[in-house]
């Protein structure tokens, strides 16, 4: 029985309306994950996939208010483009320069970014409870790396090296993050020493992702037993990097938890309730087959 009902933000009904805007959107696991979460919380409502072409993004954001959605997630390619249409931007969105969650408070739309904090919550829950003082290497310098480095810096690591195929981008991101802590950019070809001294190595690139699961973002021979190797990719659940790292005696951490916890934070912002994380995780694993 569904017992938790919500006034929608226009005050016209009791259903909690949520969704995810992207282009394409059919592949998204968010609707299945959040639908299961709403059911587990006994909330009457719906979380729907919203296929929004870039030229209709402004209309779609206005429709959140018109239709009385409590909130939406925003995914590729809209995470940056959506920002000018919002009324407020949380510090998490401003520091990353992208939005993945919108909350509608009586027509006032606030943009948040839960990707970075979702990743860190997952890393701490599943692999490294205390990141303070850690030496970290981040592979990649794109949007995902930016969110993760920003969130990692809140945990006060000793240092973060950002390594990227295009070294200028690593240096640029390091420069942008430098006031948050000890961050340097390095070329992917020069990572041997940094990786040897690292406690945690994190892959934020798409190398190894379905449909190219043979890719390796770094030479596993550089890794040492006992290191934590983390991969943002969750399809496949165990990337080649993680499989080879585990064989070498490393502790591994996959990307599924980041996806689950970015959704958990969003759901908590929309409802004020604690997200049913295990139900959400199980649902995504099942939908990945
Ligand atoms: P995201 O938002 O997922 O981070 P992005 O902003 O396009 O996506 O960034 C992709 C990252 O993966 C970049 O760091 C990119 O390296 P470059 O800056 O050199 O392009 C990295 N990347 C993608 N494909 C790669 C490959 N085949 N080898 C090495 N790095 C790769």
């Amino acid at each position: 029985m569904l017992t938790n009902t919500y006034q929608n933000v226009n005050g016209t009904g009791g259903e909690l309306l949520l969704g995810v805007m992207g282009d394409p959107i059919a592949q998204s696991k968010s609707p299945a994950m959040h639908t299961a979460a709403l059911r587990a919380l006994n909330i009457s409502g719906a979380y729907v996939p919203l296929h929004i072409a870039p030229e209709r993004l402004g209309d779609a954001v206005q429709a959140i208010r018109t239709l009385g959605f409590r909130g939406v997630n925003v995914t590729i390619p809209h995470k940056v483009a959506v920002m000018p249409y919002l009324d407020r931007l949380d510090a998490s969105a401003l520091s990353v320069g992208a939005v993945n969650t919108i909350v509608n408070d009586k027509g006032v739309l606030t943009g948040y970014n839960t990707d970075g904090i979702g990743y860190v919550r997952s890393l701490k829950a599943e692999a490294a409870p205390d990141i303070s003082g850690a030496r970290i290497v981040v592979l990649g310098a794109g949007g995902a790396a930016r969110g993760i480095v920003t969130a990692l810096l809140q945990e006060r690591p000793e240092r973060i090296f950002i390594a990227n195929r295009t070294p200028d981008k690593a240096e640029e991101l390091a420069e942008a993050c430098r006031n948050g802590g000890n961050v340097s950019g390095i070329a992917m070809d020069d990572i041997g020493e940094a990786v040897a001294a690292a406690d945690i190595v994190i892959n934020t690139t798409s190398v190894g992702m379905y449909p190219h699961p043979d890719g390796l973002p770094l030479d596993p021979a550089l890794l040492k037993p006992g290191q934590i190797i983390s991969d943002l990719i969750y399809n496949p659940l165990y990337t080649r990097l993680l499989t080879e790292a585990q064989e070498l005696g490393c502790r591994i951490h996959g990307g599924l938890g980041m996806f689950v916890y970015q959704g958990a934070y969003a759901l908590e912002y929309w409802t004020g309730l604690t997200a049913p994380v295990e139900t959400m995780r199980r649902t995504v694993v099942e939908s990945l087959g």
Side-chain angles (χ1 to χ4, degrees):
M1 194 179 63
L2 301 178
T3 51
N4 278 325
T5 56
Y6 283 77
Q7 284 294 303
N8 83 19
V9 289
N10 293 335
T12 54
E15 300 285 305
L16 182 71
L17 300 178
L18 303 168
V20 54
M21 294 182 172
D23 181 19
I25 201 60
Q27 81 299 341
S28 172
K29 305 296 179 203
S30 291
M33 179 172 78
H34 282 282
T35 299
L38 292 177
R39 203 169 295 137
L41 291 171
N42 282 335
I43 291 174
S44 172
Y47 183 111
V48 292
L50 300 163
H51 187 190
I52 309 296
E55 65 274 16
R56 306 307 301 274
L57 184 60
D59 291 345
V61 172
Q62 179 53 36
I64 298 172
R65 301 186 183 91
T66 310
L67 300 173
F69 274 57
R70 169 62 174 151
V72 294
N73 285 128
V74 181
T75 188
I76 293 165
H78 304 315
K79 288 186 181 191
V80 177
V82 78
M83 296 176 79
Y85 298 111
L86 304 178
D87 302 305
R88 295 180 188 157
L89 294 168
D90 179 66
S92 59
L94 285 170
S95 59
V96 178
V99 162
N100 81 326
T101 301
I102 299 172
V103 178
N104 179 5
D105 284 308
K106 298 188 168 59
V108 178
L109 303 185
T110 303
Y112 295 81
N113 195 309
T114 68
D115 287 328
I117 54 174
Y119 172 78
V120 169
R121 189 160 147 190
S122 153
L123 183 67
K124 290 170 74 174
E126 296 158 22
D130 185 6
I131 305 167
S132 64
R135 288 158 297 182
I136 301 174
V137 173
V138 172
L139 308 176
R146 179 177 288 266
I148 272 144
V149 170
T150 306
L152 285 170
L153 286 170
Q154 307 291 323
E155 303 292 322
R156 310 234 150 268
E158 182 183 308
R159 69 174 311 144
I160 299 179
F161 280 112
I162 301 169
N164 197 46
R165 175 178 61 181
T166 313
D168 285 357
K169 280 179 64 188
E171 188 43 50
E172 236 168 77
L173 179 56
E175 188 59 45
C177 298
R178 200 153 280 152
N179 59 2
N182 186 355
V183 189
S184 329
I186 49 175
M188 202 56 107
D189 293 338
D190 301 333
I191 55 172
E193 249 176 68
V195 169
D199 302 302
I200 308 174
V201 178
I202 304 166
N203 175 43
T204 75
T205 77
S206 51
V207 181
M209 193 189 299
Y210 178 85
H212 303 293
D214 286 339
L216 270 175
L218 95 166
D219 179 358
L222 297 171
L223 301 175
K224 303 250 179 309
Q227 287 178 320
I228 294 171
I229 310 306
S230 173
D231 200 328
L232 266 54
I233 295 169
Y234 65 92
N235 189 9
L237 283 174
Y238 295 95
T239 58
R240 184 172 169 201
L241 173 67
L242 292 185
T243 310
E244 298 205 7
Q246 190 167 38
E247 281 166 10
L248 288 164
C250 299
R251 283 143 57 191
I252 61 169
H253 171 248
L256 178 65
M258 172 180 178
F259 179 69
V260 171
Y261 281 112
Q262 62 75 32
Y265 274 117
L267 191 67
E268 289 170 2
Y269 294 165
W270 294 323
T271 66
L273 302 173
T274 302
V277 172
E278 285 318 312
T279 298
M280 294 165 77
R281 183 190 306 273
R282 198 171 53 245
T283 304
V284 180
V285 171
E286 282 166 9
S287 75
L288 286 169

